[in-house]
Amino acid sequence: MLNFDAYLERIGLSASKRPTLHDVHRAHATSIPFENLDPHRGIPVSLAEEDLERKLVHEQRGGYCFEQNLLLASALEHLGLEVEPMLARVRAGAPPGTVRPRSHLILRVTDGDGRAWHADVGFGSGTLLDPIPFGPHGAAAHGQSGWSFRVVEERPELVLQTLADGTWSDVYAFPPQPVPRIDIETSNWWTSTHPQSPFVFGLIAAVHRPDGSRELISDWSGPLELRVQSPTGTQVSQPPRDAIPELLAERFALAGFALGADGRVR
């Protein structure tokens, strides 16, 4: 990482005390918003280390999974941890049997005691707040500020699931195999430039807070929706599109954007 102290300041941690994996993961997940404003505006996403730090740290922007988790990976490697990236297929919101591209990045992190952890600060509609032990471990549930996650085995893949209204539902599935950088770059290129990618044709921004509450704005399903979630319930409203710049600034800490004549963020 080029400027670790600046990264710690960005996520609200002190450079005077060496943080742990769990410290960094939760602070990152609850400090840097999830957003796709660059691909939405026709700007390809760079995964170069200097560009990630410039955008997410120094410019106080957010990003999507490739940006978020590669920035996290760089910070954890700075702490001396072993980090292995893996690609997943998102299942959330997909009809059964749908095969989506491997467009989500997660991390396997090995700590100084040799324990492997599943880390992911880049899932917009409900990311992990804390790392969880890597692998199924008998499908044990892991509570995080009112939310519950588990990993089950569905050979040859592992599936992250979340609990809502008493039912476990799939979030994403992945083979537990590290991938080379070129595969990450290829998936990122498709996600940030292909006309059929929702990150190109749609808008999404989200924030996750330490108390477990979440806010998300998106038009992926058609009309613009603002979702305010907690572990006990969800409120959904449909704000007018001309409210997007104000909502981005006030609710997602993403100031300085406007709407073009076509109704897209500029």
Side-chain angles (χ1 to χ4, degrees):
M1 175 161 275
L2 302 177
N3 192 334
F4 186 63
D5 287 355
Y7 169 77
L8 290 182
E9 182 179 358
R10 173 73 170 103
I11 64 173
L13 296 180
S14 172
S16 64
K17 181 180 179 182
R18 184 177 177 84
T20 66
L21 161 63
H22 287 69
D23 293 335
V24 171
H25 193 288
R26 176 168 276 260
H28 185 133
T30 57
S31 298
I32 302 180
F34 182 95
E35 49 110 329
N36 75 322
L37 295 174
D38 280 355
H40 177 80
R41 296 184 296 163
I43 301 173
V45 170
S46 170
L47 299 182
E49 184 177 42
E50 60 271 21
D51 291 331
L52 294 178
E53 289 194 33
R54 171 188 52 78
K55 179 181 176 183
L56 278 70
V57 176
H58 302 296
E59 294 181 358
Q60 304 282 299
R61 285 278 307 279
Y64 62 3
C65 66
F66 297 104
E67 300 168 282
Q68 299 268 7
N69 283 327
L70 286 180
L71 182 65
L72 176 66
S74 180
L76 297 180
E77 288 172 343
H78 182 91
L79 291 172
L81 305 180
E82 180 186 356
V83 182
E84 298 170 292
M86 301 179 182
L87 288 171
R89 301 184 195 275
V90 174
R91 292 187 177 181
T98 301
V99 179
R100 287 172 165 168
R102 288 199 175 109
S103 60
H104 184 65
L105 182 71
I106 68 163
L107 307 174
R108 179 167 62 193
V109 182
T110 303
D111 65 21
D113 296 321
R115 293 173 297 186
W117 298 90
H118 180 142
D120 181 5
V121 294
F123 196 80
S125 60
T127 202
L128 295 175
L129 297 177
D130 305 299
I132 61 176
F134 191 88
H137 296 280
H142 306 280
Q144 303 188 352
S145 296
W147 301 99
S148 291
F149 296 91
R150 71 179 186 183
V151 174
V152 298
E153 190 170 27
E154 190 179 287
R155 293 188 178 182
E157 295 185 313
L158 299 178
V159 182
L160 179 71
Q161 297 181 326
T162 189
L163 184 66
D165 299 325
T167 301
W168 289 99
S169 60
D170 294 351
V171 181
Y172 51 72
F174 61 99
Q177 300 170 348
V179 295
R181 178 73 179 213
I182 187 61
D183 288 356
I184 298 172
E185 293 283 357
T186 301
S187 294
N188 176 66
W189 172 80
W190 188 94
T191 303
S192 70
T193 65
H194 197 283
Q196 293 183 10
S197 167
F199 289 92
V200 173
F201 67 69
L203 169 71
I204 186 171
V207 289
H208 300 80
R209 298 189 175 89
D211 65 358
S213 62
R214 310 165 176 163
E215 290 193 45
L216 181 144
I217 188 171
S218 174
D219 60 4
W220 285 12
S221 299
L224 184 70
E225 287 189 347
L226 176 66
R227 291 181 172 266
V228 181
Q229 292 182 297
S230 75
T232 58
T234 300
Q235 296 178 331
V236 182
S237 60
Q238 294 186 344
R241 289 199 71 85
D242 59 12
I244 289 176
E246 180 180 356
L247 289 170
L248 289 176
E250 293 185 356
R251 292 178 176 263
F252 303 95
L254 297 167
F257 294 94
L259 285 187
D262 58 358
R264 293 176 69 86
V265 175
R266 300 296 181 213

